[in-house]
Amino acid sequence: MDYELRVVVEKVSVSSQAVVKRDTLKVYDVKAPESILELGLRHEEQIS
């Protein structure tokens, strides 16, 4: 696929709504699961 998911955190000025700082915490490739285990039922990433 031609997509990815990004977890992004932004520091924003309240008065102007301008983004002061932006950090990408994690990037995930979007792909079809090959088995039921890849649907997150065992939460492998959280456990590790």
Side-chain angles (χ1 to χ4, degrees), residues 16-35:
S16 68
Q17 292 298 303
V19 176
V20 177
K21 185 176 180 183
R22 180 179 216 190
D23 291 317
T24 301
L25 300 180
K26 185 76 175 174
V27 178
Y28 298 93
D29 290 331
V30 176
K31 62 179 183 165
E34 295 179 10
S35 74

Side-chain angles (χ1 to χ4, degrees), residues 31-43:
K31 62 179 183 165
E34 295 179 10
S35 74
I36 191 75
L37 298 176
E38 292 182 0
L39 294 177
L41 298 177
R42 294 191 177 190
H43 304 284

Side-chain angles (χ1 to χ4, degrees), residues 2-21:
D2 294 336
Y3 298 99
E4 64 186 14
L5 297 176
R6 296 180 187 163
V7 179
V8 176
V9 176
E10 292 180 338
K11 179 179 178 182
V12 179
S13 169
V14 175
S15 59
S16 68
Q17 292 298 303
V19 176
V20 177
K21 185 176 180 183

